[in-house]
Amino acid sequence: MSLYILDHPLLLHKLSIIRDRNTSVKEFREIVSEIAMLMCYEATRDLAVEDVDIETPVANATVKRLAGKKLAIVPILRAGLGMVDGMLNLIPSAKVGHIGLYRDPETLEPVEYFCKLPADIAERLVIVIDPMLATGGSAAAALRFLKERGCVNIKLMVIIAAPEGVVRIQAEHPDVDIYAAALDEKLNSHGYIVPGLGDAGDRIFGTK
Ligand code: PRP
Ligand code: URA
């Protein structure tokens, strides 16, 4: 598996805004969506294409189009929802599955409360999205659910990763590539990423 840090200047700039505690909910939500779109562009760089014959207004041409079934996007609820629109801006025909997990604040273990996936998800490239990879418990559980349903081609896209989460995904899901806009320093004693951006779900939905 590989860890790709997508440190494009536009991503760095947008990340600096969502890290700022003074950024409003409106702006936070908009920028999370923009970051997801930019990251999606990079994370789909290796999609397969195939030749297709078409006619332009001038001549016949053989052009490239995406090959095979389109991909599936799977946000981890809640915070992953904030990244869906940005991804769909680039891949409007993607299917969207949902996995609902919350992290128990005491044990930091993920608790599942919802799972609804496209019927043919096993045949698709799946991109799991969540703004934060902290202990890695939520993402590891989501990847496990997907594999139990037959998925074999999965990527994980997060905005900020902690080293602890990366190590856990590497250990439990060595076949899954991770895409992140930043690899932060560490987790604090409450399992928050340092410096991070706080609670991504609360900041996207304005619940605190
Ligand atoms: C956050 C975040 C991840 C998880 C990361 O969700 O969006 O899903 O924590 O932490 P982990 O890597 O230690 O599992 P949270 O549990 O706060 O739920 P929410 O999205 O509903 O706010
Ligand atoms: N979940 C968040 O939303 N933020 C963190 O820093 C860690 C987990």
Side-chain angles (χ1 to χ4, degrees):
M1 88 111 222
S2 300
L3 170 65
Y4 298 97
I5 302 297
L6 308 178
D7 55 358
H8 188 287
L10 288 174
L11 282 170
L12 294 177
H13 182 82
K14 290 178 190 298
L15 193 51
S16 80
I17 298 171
I18 59 170
R19 283 187 191 278
D20 189 332
R21 67 182 310 154
N22 296 314
T23 296
S24 69
V25 168
K26 173 179 180 289
E27 198 179 8
F28 189 93
R29 194 183 288 145
E30 287 168 357
I31 293 178
V32 163
S33 185
E34 290 169 9
I35 288 175
M37 186 171 72
L38 293 170
M39 292 187 74
C40 178
Y41 184 76
E42 283 296 328
T44 51
R45 183 173 278 287
D46 60 353
L47 288 186
V49 290
E50 62 189 0
D51 287 342
V52 178
D53 294 325
I54 60 148
E55 280 177 44
T56 78
V58 179
N60 293 331
T62 302
V63 295
K64 306 278 184 200
R65 286 206 180 141
L66 291 175
K69 287 212 173 192
K70 300 292 183 293
L71 50 78
I73 299 163
V74 176
I76 300 177
L77 307 184
R78 272 177 312 167
L81 287 175
M83 300 170 71
V84 172
D85 283 353
M87 305 277 296
L88 290 177
N89 280 343
L90 285 194
I91 313 172
S93 54
K95 298 276 178 73
V96 183
H98 295 86
I99 295 178
L101 294 170
Y102 70 87
R103 202 171 66 150
D104 184 292
E106 302 296 328
T107 64
L108 301 184
E109 284 303 312
V111 181
E112 183 193 354
Y113 61 89
F114 188 76
C115 186
K116 181 76 181 172
L117 301 169
D120 61 355
I121 194 157
E123 298 159 39
R124 293 172 178 267
L125 163 65
V126 181
I127 305 186
V128 176
I129 51 177
D130 192 324
M132 310 303 272
L133 178 66
T135 65
S138 305
L143 295 171
R144 209 163 50 239
F145 295 151
L146 291 167
K147 288 180 179 177
E148 284 166 7
R149 286 161 179 80
C151 298
V152 289
N153 192 4
I154 313 175
K155 296 176 189 246
L156 173 63
M157 203 177 99
V158 300
I159 297 179
I160 301 181
E164 294 86 337
V166 171
V167 167
R168 179 157 180 183
I169 299 301
Q170 282 174 335
E172 295 185 24
H173 300 284
D175 53 311
V176 174
D177 286 342
I178 304 173
Y179 297 80
L183 179 62
D184 274 11
E185 194 187 321
K186 60 179 181 184
L187 296 180
N188 68 14
S189 57
H190 302 289
Y192 278 89
I193 299 178
V194 181
L197 51 69
D199 187 305
D202 282 340
R203 295 199 63 191
I204 289 169
F205 295 107
T207 41
K208 212 165 219 171

